[in-house]
Amino acid sequence: MATIKVLGYPLSTATRLVLCCLEEKQVDYELVVVDAAAGAHKQPQYLALNPFGLVPTIQDGDLTLFESRAIVKYLAKKYKGQGTELFGNSLSEEALVEQWCEVEGQSYNSPALTILSQILFVPKKGGTTDEALVEMNVEKLVKVLDIYEERLSKSKYLAGDFFSLADLQHLPTTHYLVTDCGKGDLISSRKHVKAWWEDISCRPAWKKVSEKGP
């Protein structure tokens, strides 16, 4: 069977999400580095695979797939019964996984990425961090994390007492918030969120991916 090819940039949150999923599912893959810093994701060769010019894209046999959240769902379902079960073991568990995946995509990711962009990427491009915009998005994250704290006081992970895609989807962005943006207090100031983060960020799959360089 052909090895899955991941066209991505090792430091990108979306690429790391896909790589972590592959590691959790114990699937062999080949990472083909698309140098986003040099604009390779906007070149015709890559745009032929992903017209939106974003990383990553995967190639699995005849299937070409982009959008990281769609990719990880595909992988979790294709490799059901192998590695970590990322959708739970029943329809109701799967529904809860989907629910919290949506929360991550709709409520958590946008403010988190805005903070990352303003603190990490804008200065690298010669700009100045918009502190008011950072603060506004920190306030949005505070509200989301207060809901997480309540949820995680009742279950070990977001969808229940099992690690799932819902937790995995938080790893790349939260890692940068904590380690590179000086926003670790958002996590550590909440007892149950802190315990959850310490648990999921120590998983071997994530440690392997987060230690990869460009």
Side-chain angles (χ1 to χ4, degrees):
M1 192 164 60
T3 301
I4 290 179
K5 194 178 289 187
V6 181
L7 295 91
Y9 187 60
L11 297 180
S12 102
T13 55
T15 300
R16 286 182 162 198
L17 173 60
V18 170
L19 297 182
C20 188
C21 182
L22 285 160
E23 293 288 351
E24 287 284 356
K25 298 304 291 181
Q26 299 170 9
V27 176
D28 290 333
Y29 62 89
E30 176 192 355
L31 174 60
V32 179
V33 175
V34 177
D35 191 352
H41 57 313
K42 301 297 185 183
Q43 297 303 311
Q45 185 179 0
Y46 186 76
L47 291 172
L49 300 173
N50 182 344
F52 293 98
L54 299 170
V55 291
T57 298
I58 69 164
Q59 291 179 306
D60 185 13
D62 293 333
L63 176 68
T64 298
L65 194 63
F66 52 82
E67 290 296 339
S68 59
R69 289 173 184 78
I71 293 170
V72 295
K73 283 184 182 180
Y74 165 74
L75 295 170
K77 290 179 178 180
K78 177 173 180 176
Y79 295 101
K80 185 174 176 62
Q82 177 176 325
T84 307
E85 287 303 338
L86 294 170
F87 265 120
N89 290 298
S90 68
L91 182 60
S92 58
E93 287 182 352
E94 182 175 337
L96 286 167
V97 173
E98 290 274 16
Q99 171 185 277
W100 287 99
C101 283
E102 284 293 315
V103 171
E104 185 276 331
Q106 302 292 334
S107 300
Y108 186 91
N109 186 61
S110 179
L113 273 188
T114 300
I115 295 166
L116 290 196
S117 176
Q118 285 297 320
I119 293 177
L120 295 182
F121 305 132
V122 169
K124 282 184 181 176
K125 293 178 179 177
T128 304
T129 298
D130 184 336
E131 298 293 351
L133 185 59
V134 170
E135 187 53 39
M136 184 173 75
N137 282 279
V138 165
E139 288 173 10
K140 288 180 183 178
L141 265 192
V142 162
K143 291 177 182 176
V144 175
L145 286 167
D146 284 346
I147 293 169
Y148 282 26
E149 179 68 7
E150 172 66 17
R151 170 61 178 169
L152 293 164
S153 71
K154 295 171 181 165
S155 63
K156 187 175 181 182
Y157 301 101
L158 287 171
D161 290 321
F162 59 96
F163 178 80
S164 75
L165 271 188
D167 308 292
L168 190 150
Q169 284 185 189
H170 288 80
L171 280 164
T173 310
T174 309
H175 173 85
Y176 281 129
L177 280 178
V178 170
T179 62
D180 297 276
C181 293
K183 298 299 178 186
D185 59 306
L186 286 168
I187 304 299
S188 60
S189 62
R190 293 168 174 80
K191 176 184 173 184
H192 300 289
V193 171
K194 180 184 178 187
W196 167 74
W197 176 247
E198 288 176 349
D199 180 316
I200 67 173
S201 61
C202 283
R203 293 180 69 84
W206 174 248
K207 289 181 86 70
K208 184 174 178 180
V209 169
S210 64
E211 288 162 6
K212 287 184 192 292

